Amino acid sequence: EPEVTQTPSHQVTQMGQEVILRCVPISNHLYFYWYRQILGQKVEFLVSFYNNEISEKSEIFDDQFSVERPDGSNFTLKIRSTKLEDSAMYFCASSGDAGELFFGEGSRLTVL
Amino acid sequence: LAKTTQPISMDSYEGQEVNITCSHNNIATNDYITWYQQFPSQGPRFIIQGYKTKVTNEVASLFIPADRKSSTLSLPRVSLSDTAVYYCLVGDYGGSQGNLIFGKGTKLSVKP
């Protein structure tokens, strides 16, 4: 069964450092997403991406965040200067036309 | 985007049928209803999606009344491994792939 893969599974970084989280969506999907989940809280939408541009973004997705699809397979989330409150599990997801989102296993980010 | 309301938690025993109801009073004409399951430290996983009446797959059934202002996820004969958080989401998946807003979900605890 095709799946969304994410790397790294866990990253620890110092406050102020740049972080790049990587995702490989399912190959024939066209829509890509990033969500995050702070420990014990709900899953929060960050951004959706289609046709090489951002479709929608939430208030959380400020200027410190950016997304990119540098090649035909990877989809990345960059946090330019991490803050303590960026500590969370970050989930990548992709979908085709059916609307079902396929989520990866997540990347746990710990900012010290 | 339609807001959803569902119970915060539910308890059940192995072998029982579990019904989780979600309210979405301001659902729009183009909105679909989708349920996801999430285990701790894992990404949400699609369970079932419907627009109206009843949908059934190998995992669950989804009942949607004619006014579509609510929906009920039915899990037949639950087991311990069904202990998870269940999310009801409402959104338009027709082409634009609008973002999905996760609520707090229903934490289902299945006991032996």
CSV table of all heavy atoms in Angstrom, one decimal, chain A residues 68-95:
chain,number,residue,atom,x,y,z
A,68,GLU,N,8.1,24.0,0.0
A,68,GLU,CA,8.7,23.9,-1.3
A,68,GLU,C,8.6,22.5,-1.8
A,68,GLU,O,8.5,21.5,-1.0
A,68,GLU,CB,10.2,24.3,-1.2
A,68,GLU,CG,10.9,24.5,-2.5
A,68,GLU,CD,12.3,24.9,-2.3
A,68,GLU,OE1,13.0,24.4,-1.3
A,68,GLU,OE2,12.8,25.6,-3.2
A,69,ARG,N,8.4,22.4,-3.1
A,69,ARG,CA,8.5,21.1,-3.7
A,69,ARG,C,9.7,21.1,-4.7
A,69,ARG,O,9.5,21.4,-5.9
A,69,ARG,CB,7.2,20.8,-4.5
A,69,ARG,CG,7.0,19.4,-5.0
A,69,ARG,CD,5.6,19.0,-5.2
A,69,ARG,NE,5.4,17.9,-6.1
A,69,ARG,CZ,5.5,16.6,-5.7
A,69,ARG,NH1,5.8,16.4,-4.5
A,69,ARG,NH2,5.3,15.7,-6.5
A,70,PRO,N,10.8,20.9,-4.2
A,70,PRO,CA,12.1,21.1,-5.0
A,70,PRO,C,12.2,20.2,-6.2
A,70,PRO,O,12.9,20.5,-7.1
A,70,PRO,CB,13.2,20.9,-3.9
A,70,PRO,CG,12.6,20.0,-2.9
A,70,PRO,CD,11.1,20.3,-2.9
A,71,ASP,N,11.6,19.0,-6.1
A,71,ASP,CA,11.7,18.1,-7.3
A,71,ASP,C,10.3,17.4,-7.4
A,71,ASP,O,9.4,17.8,-6.8
A,71,ASP,CB,12.8,17.1,-7.1
A,71,ASP,CG,12.8,16.4,-5.7
A,71,ASP,OD1,11.7,16.0,-5.3
A,71,ASP,OD2,13.8,16.3,-5.1
A,72,GLY,N,10.3,16.3,-8.2
A,72,GLY,CA,9.0,15.7,-8.4
A,72,GLY,C,8.6,14.8,-7.3
A,72,GLY,O,7.4,14.3,-7.4
A,73,SER,N,9.4,14.7,-6.2
A,73,SER,CA,8.9,13.7,-5.2
A,73,SER,C,8.9,14.3,-3.8
A,73,SER,O,8.1,13.9,-3.0
A,73,SER,CB,9.9,12.5,-5.2
A,73,SER,OG,11.2,12.9,-4.9
A,74,ASN,N,9.8,15.3,-3.5
A,74,ASN,CA,9.8,15.8,-2.1
A,74,ASN,C,8.9,17.0,-1.9
A,74,ASN,O,8.7,17.8,-2.8
A,74,ASN,CB,11.3,16.1,-1.8
A,74,ASN,CG,12.1,14.9,-1.6
A,74,ASN,OD1,12.1,14.2,-0.6
A,74,ASN,ND2,13.0,14.7,-2.6
A,75,PHE,N,8.5,17.1,-0.7
A,75,PHE,CA,7.7,18.3,-0.2
A,75,PHE,C,8.2,18.7,1.1
A,75,PHE,O,8.2,17.9,2.1
A,75,PHE,CB,6.2,17.9,-0.2
A,75,PHE,CG,5.3,19.0,0.2
A,75,PHE,CD1,5.3,20.2,-0.4
A,75,PHE,CD2,4.3,18.8,1.2
A,75,PHE,CE1,4.5,21.3,0.0
A,75,PHE,CE2,3.5,19.8,1.6
A,75,PHE,CZ,3.5,21.0,1.0
A,76,THR,N,8.8,19.9,1.2
A,76,THR,CA,9.4,20.2,2.5
A,76,THR,C,8.8,21.4,3.2
A,76,THR,O,8.1,22.3,2.6
A,76,THR,CB,10.9,20.7,2.2
A,76,THR,OG1,10.9,21.8,1.3
A,76,THR,CG2,11.7,19.5,1.5
A,77,LEU,N,8.9,21.4,4.5
A,77,LEU,CA,8.5,22.5,5.4
A,77,LEU,C,9.7,23.0,6.0
A,77,LEU,O,10.5,22.3,6.7
A,77,LEU,CB,7.5,22.0,6.4
A,77,LEU,CG,7.1,23.0,7.5
A,77,LEU,CD1,6.2,24.1,6.9
A,77,LEU,CD2,6.3,22.3,8.6
A,78,LYS,N,9.9,24.3,5.9
A,78,LYS,CA,11.1,25.0,6.5
A,78,LYS,C,10.6,26.0,7.6
A,78,LYS,O,9.7,26.7,7.3
A,78,LYS,CB,11.9,25.7,5.5
A,78,LYS,CG,13.1,26.5,6.1
A,78,LYS,CD,13.8,27.4,5.1
A,78,LYS,CE,14.5,26.7,3.9
A,78,LYS,NZ,15.2,27.7,3.1
A,79,ILE,N,11.2,25.9,8.7
A,79,ILE,CA,11.0,26.9,9.8
A,79,ILE,C,12.3,27.7,9.9
A,79,ILE,O,13.3,27.1,10.2
A,79,ILE,CB,10.6,26.2,11.1
A,79,ILE,CG1,9.5,25.2,10.9
A,79,ILE,CG2,10.2,27.3,12.1
A,79,ILE,CD1,9.1,24.4,12.2
A,80,ARG,N,12.2,28.9,9.6
A,80,ARG,CA,13.4,29.7,9.4
A,80,ARG,C,14.1,29.9,10.7
A,80,ARG,O,15.3,29.8,10.8
A,80,ARG,CB,13.0,31.1,8.8
A,80,ARG,CG,14.2,31.9,8.3
A,80,ARG,CD,13.8,33.1,7.5
A,80,ARG,NE,13.1,32.7,6.3
A,80,ARG,CZ,11.8,33.0,6.1
A,80,ARG,NH1,11.2,33.8,6.9
A,80,ARG,NH2,11.2,32.6,5.0
A,81,SER,N,13.5,30.3,11.8
A,81,SER,CA,14.1,30.6,13.1
A,81,SER,C,13.2,30.0,14.1
A,81,SER,O,12.2,30.6,14.5
A,81,SER,CB,14.3,32.1,13.2
A,81,SER,OG,14.8,32.4,14.5
A,82,THR,N,13.5,28.8,14.6
A,82,THR,CA,12.6,28.1,15.5
A,82,THR,C,12.4,28.8,16.8
A,82,THR,O,13.3,29.4,17.4
A,82,THR,CB,13.1,26.7,15.7
A,82,THR,OG1,14.4,26.7,16.1
A,82,THR,CG2,12.9,25.8,14.4
A,83,LYS,N,11.2,28.6,17.3
A,83,LYS,CA,10.9,29.1,18.7
A,83,LYS,C,10.5,27.9,19.5
A,83,LYS,O,10.1,26.9,19.0
A,83,LYS,CB,9.7,30.1,18.6
A,83,LYS,CG,10.0,31.3,17.7
A,83,LYS,CD,8.9,32.3,17.8
A,83,LYS,CE,7.6,31.9,17.0
A,83,LYS,NZ,7.8,32.0,15.6
A,84,LEU,N,10.5,28.2,20.8
A,84,LEU,CA,10.1,27.1,21.7
A,84,LEU,C,8.8,26.5,21.4
A,84,LEU,O,8.5,25.3,21.5
A,84,LEU,CB,10.2,27.5,23.2
A,84,LEU,CG,11.5,27.9,23.7
A,84,LEU,CD1,11.4,28.5,25.2
A,84,LEU,CD2,12.5,26.8,23.7
A,85,GLU,N,7.8,27.4,21.1
A,85,GLU,CA,6.5,27.0,20.8
A,85,GLU,C,6.3,26.3,19.5
A,85,GLU,O,5.2,25.8,19.2
A,85,GLU,CB,5.5,28.2,20.9
A,85,GLU,CG,5.9,29.4,20.0
A,85,GLU,CD,6.7,30.4,20.8
A,85,GLU,OE1,7.5,30.0,21.6
A,85,GLU,OE2,6.5,31.6,20.5
A,86,ASP,N,7.3,26.1,18.7
A,86,ASP,CA,7.3,25.3,17.5
A,86,ASP,C,7.4,23.9,17.8
A,86,ASP,O,7.3,23.0,16.9
A,86,ASP,CB,8.4,25.8,16.5
A,86,ASP,CG,8.1,27.2,16.0
A,86,ASP,OD1,6.9,27.6,15.8
A,86,ASP,OD2,9.1,27.9,15.7
A,87,SER,N,7.8,23.5,19.0
A,87,SER,CA,7.9,22.1,19.4
A,87,SER,C,6.6,21.4,19.2
A,87,SER,O,5.5,21.8,19.8
A,87,SER,CB,8.3,22.0,20.8
A,87,SER,OG,9.6,22.5,21.0
A,88,ALA,N,6.5,20.4,18.4
A,88,ALA,CA,5.3,19.7,18.1
A,88,ALA,C,5.6,18.5,17.2
A,88,ALA,O,6.7,18.3,16.7
A,88,ALA,CB,4.3,20.7,17.3
A,89,MET,N,4.6,17.8,16.9
A,89,MET,CA,4.7,16.7,15.8
A,89,MET,C,4.1,17.4,14.6
A,89,MET,O,3.1,17.9,14.6
A,89,MET,CB,3.8,15.5,16.2
A,89,MET,CG,3.9,14.4,15.3
A,89,MET,SD,5.5,13.5,15.4
A,89,MET,CE,4.9,12.2,16.6
A,90,TYR,N,4.9,17.2,13.5
A,90,TYR,CA,4.5,17.8,12.2
A,90,TYR,C,4.2,16.7,11.3
A,90,TYR,O,5.0,15.8,11.0
A,90,TYR,CB,5.6,18.7,11.6
A,90,TYR,CG,5.8,20.0,12.4
A,90,TYR,CD1,6.5,20.0,13.6
A,90,TYR,CD2,5.3,21.1,11.9
A,90,TYR,CE1,6.6,21.2,14.3
A,90,TYR,CE2,5.4,22.3,12.6
A,90,TYR,CZ,6.1,22.3,13.8
A,90,TYR,OH,6.2,23.5,14.5
A,91,PHE,N,2.9,16.8,10.8
A,91,PHE,CA,2.5,15.7,9.8
A,91,PHE,C,2.3,16.3,8.4
A,91,PHE,O,1.8,17.3,8.2
A,91,PHE,CB,1.1,15.2,10.3
A,91,PHE,CG,1.1,14.5,11.6
A,91,PHE,CD1,0.5,15.1,12.7
A,91,PHE,CD2,1.6,13.2,11.7
A,91,PHE,CE1,0.5,14.4,13.9
A,91,PHE,CE2,1.6,12.5,12.9
A,91,PHE,CZ,1.0,13.1,14.0
A,92,CYS,N,2.8,15.5,7.5
A,92,CYS,CA,2.7,15.8,6.1
A,92,CYS,C,1.5,14.9,5.6
A,92,CYS,O,1.3,13.8,6.1
A,92,CYS,CB,3.9,15.4,5.3
A,92,CYS,SG,3.8,15.5,3.6
A,93,ALA,N,0.7,15.4,4.7
A,93,ALA,CA,-0.3,14.6,4.1
A,93,ALA,C,-0.4,14.9,2.6
A,93,ALA,O,0.0,15.9,2.1
A,93,ALA,CB,-1.7,14.9,4.8
A,94,SER,N,-1.0,13.9,1.9
A,94,SER,CA,-1.2,14.1,0.5
A,94,SER,C,-2.6,13.5,0.1
A,94,SER,O,-3.1,12.7,0.8
A,94,SER,CB,-0.1,13.5,-0.4
A,94,SER,OG,-0.1,12.1,-0.4
A,95,SER,N,-3.1,14.0,-1.0
A,95,SER,CA,-4.4,13.5,-1.4
A,95,SER,C,-4.5,13.5,-2.9
A,95,SER,O,-3.9,14.4,-3.6
A,95,SER,CB,-5.6,14.2,-0.8
A,95,SER,OG,-5.7,15.5,-1.3
